[in-house]
């Protein structure tokens, strides 16, 4: 079967106002926005006082029937505008995405599902060089262990590259992965996963049959105590609005100073929410142990 190709045709992706309603254009159609999500990502330091520096700003338009979303992002000092359009089925399954830079298509992704809502195909097309990557999926179960098995076949420009079998326990955690070459027989490697108390991978053990050796890789995130992750109330009664976001975020950080500076949490991710329209996620990064704040505010239109 020949995979679907997308033509790199520049489309005008704009947002505007029509008769008092917020609208946005995706592809060749104009949609009415039912809600808008404003998102701002800051880098921050916390010594004697909180200092925030804006890294990215993102705005997402959601169609009134939730069938289409369009995200528009400005990344730091980059003057380019990046846009992503998502198309959903009536069951809220992601069917297709298109990524643009200044109106030029960069990449398209397409997914297909079976009657049990399981993903059976993923096609990724690079619009710049026309390379097409495709993966198909089959599902089975091991009656003896109760494990579920997902079989993946990976293609590059129509030619099979490799096969992969992924094993999941009864709780849905991935416990093993077996990579085979394009004949679906010779094993390239076998990877096993061990999890920490927080549910994240603690160790990866990889066996290479060709060399008959096993290599182990520690994953620091799996050793972080579960207390270093969680969802918390915002804990401040001030009215939430994008215009007052910086002082609002600063107060949330200040009120949770002890938790955010806990020496037992070298990595952490906390989500603060008012359960209505505001979410603030504060987390460490893997680069120089930095810290970021992601502020999301949902606006009904």
């Amino acid at each position: 079967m020949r995979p679907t190709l997308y033509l790199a045709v520049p489309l005008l992706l704009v947002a505007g106002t029509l008769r008092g309603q917020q609208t946005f254009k995706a592809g060749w159609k104009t949609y009415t926005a039912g809600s808008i999500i404003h998102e701002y990502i800051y880098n921050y330091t916390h010594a004697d006082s909180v200092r925030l520096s804006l890294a990215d700003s993102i705005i997402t338009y959601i169609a009134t029937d939730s069938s289409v979303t369009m995200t528009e992002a400005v990344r730091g000092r980059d003057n380019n505008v990046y846009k992503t359009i998502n198309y959903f089925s009536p069951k809220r399954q992601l069917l297709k995405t298109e990524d643009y830079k200044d109106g030029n298509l960069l990449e398209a992704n397409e997914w297909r599902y079976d009657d049990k809502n399981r993903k059976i195909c993923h096609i990724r097309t690079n619009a710049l060089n026309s390379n097409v990557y495709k993966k198909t999926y089959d599902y089975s179960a091991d009656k003896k262990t109760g494990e579920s098995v997902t079989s993946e076949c990976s293609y590059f420009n129509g030619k099979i590259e490799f096969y992969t079998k992924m094993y999941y326990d009864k709780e849905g955690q991935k416990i093993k992965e077996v990579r085979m070459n394009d004949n679906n027989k010779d094993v390239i490697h076998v990877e096993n996963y061990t999890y920490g108390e927080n549910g994240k991978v603690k160790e990866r053990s990889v066996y290479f049959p060709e060399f008959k050796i096993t290599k182990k890789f520690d994953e620091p995130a799996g050793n972080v105590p579960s207390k270093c992750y969680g969802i918390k109330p915002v804990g401040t009664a001030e009215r939430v609005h994008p215009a007052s976001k910086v002082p609002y975020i600063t107060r949330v950080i200040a009120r949770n100073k002890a938790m955010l500076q806990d020496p037992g949490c070298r990595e952490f991710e906390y989500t603060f929410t008012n359960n209505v329209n505001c979410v603030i996620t504060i987390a460490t990064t893997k680069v120089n142990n930095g810290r970021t704040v992601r502020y999301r505010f949902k606006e009904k239109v």
Side-chain angles (χ1 to χ4, degrees):
M1 181 179 66
R2 190 181 180 89
T4 303
L5 293 176
Y6 294 89
L7 298 178
V9 179
L11 299 180
L12 183 61
L13 311 176
V14 298
T17 303
L18 179 62
R19 295 182 181 180
Q21 293 181 320
Q22 189 77 46
T23 62
F24 64 96
K25 190 173 182 180
W28 307 110
K29 292 182 63 177
T30 299
Y31 298 87
T32 299
S35 58
I36 300 174
I37 296 177
H38 304 269
E39 191 166 352
Y40 304 88
I41 302 173
Y42 297 89
N43 297 319
Y44 91 94
T45 57
H46 193 165
D48 295 331
S49 61
V50 177
R51 295 184 180 181
L52 300 175
S53 58
L54 183 64
D56 299 299
S57 61
I58 304 166
I59 185 167
T60 300
Y61 300 89
I62 303 172
T64 51
D65 62 356
S66 298
S67 63
V68 180
T69 68
M70 185 183 78
T71 298
E72 193 174 78
V74 177
R75 301 171 181 170
R77 297 180 180 179
D78 190 340
N79 293 324
N80 299 302
V81 177
Y82 298 87
K83 296 184 181 181
T84 297
I85 303 175
N86 297 316
Y87 298 89
F88 297 88
S89 73
K91 295 181 179 180
R92 294 299 297 152
Q93 297 166 320
L94 182 60
L95 298 178
K96 185 170 66 172
T97 67
E98 296 171 341
D99 294 309
Y100 295 84
K101 176 181 177 181
D102 292 335
N104 298 309
L105 182 63
L106 300 179
E107 182 177 286
N109 287 267
E110 182 181 354
W111 292 266
R112 298 170 190 167
Y113 304 85
D114 63 14
D115 55 4
K116 294 183 179 180
N117 300 324
R118 297 177 302 190
K119 179 175 62 177
I120 57 174
C121 182
H122 174 206
I123 300 171
R124 178 169 64 91
T125 304
N126 186 319
L128 301 180
N129 57 25
S130 299
N131 285 334
V132 179
Y133 306 84
K134 178 182 175 182
K135 290 185 177 182
T136 58
Y137 304 89
D138 290 308
Y139 301 88
S140 59
D142 188 318
K143 295 181 180 179
K144 293 183 179 180
T145 64
E147 298 170 355
S148 61
V149 184
T150 300
S151 300
E152 175 188 285
C153 180
S154 181
Y155 300 78
F156 174 67
N157 288 338
K159 182 180 179 180
I160 295 177
E161 284 194 296
F162 55 84
Y163 291 85
T164 307
K165 284 187 179 293
M166 294 163 282
Y167 296 80
Y168 299 84
D169 63 18
K170 294 179 180 179
E171 282 70 46
Q173 280 190 327
K174 185 177 178 181
I175 55 176
K176 184 171 70 172
E177 177 182 296
V178 180
R179 177 69 54 85
M180 291 164 286
N181 67 12
D182 57 4
N183 66 10
N184 200 18
K185 293 180 180 180
D186 298 329
V187 176
I188 300 172
H189 70 248
V190 179
E191 190 165 352
N192 290 276
Y193 305 92
T194 302
Y195 292 83
E197 64 163 322
N198 59 15
K200 295 181 180 293
V201 176
K202 181 179 180 180
E203 181 186 84
R204 293 185 299 112
S205 175
V206 186
Y207 173 65
F208 299 92
E210 181 180 359
F211 306 103
K212 296 182 179 181
I213 61 172
T214 299
K215 290 187 176 182
K216 294 185 177 182
F217 304 90
D218 291 330
E219 297 289 341
N223 292 306
V224 177
S226 55
K227 68 173 182 175
C228 304
Y229 302 90
I231 300 175
K232 315 284 183 181
V234 173
T236 176
E238 291 92 340
R239 184 178 179 182
V240 183
H241 194 277
S244 58
K245 57 186 177 296
V246 172
Y248 188 85
I249 294 170
T250 301
R251 286 191 287 272
V252 171
I253 293 175
R255 286 178 174 154
N256 293 278
K257 180 178 179 180
M259 182 173 64
L260 296 174
Q261 295 186 328
D262 184 347
C265 293
R266 63 180 182 276
E267 292 185 17
F268 62 79
E269 181 174 308
Y270 304 109
T271 298
F272 301 89
T273 176
N274 64 359
N275 293 317
V276 179
N277 61 355
C278 171
V279 177
I280 298 173
T281 301
I282 305 175
T284 52
T285 67
K286 295 185 180 298
V287 180
N288 298 325
N289 197 30
R291 298 183 178 188
T292 62
V293 178
R294 182 183 294 266
Y295 170 82
R296 301 175 78 245
F297 175 82
K298 189 172 184 179
E299 172 191 5
K300 292 288 187 180
V301 295

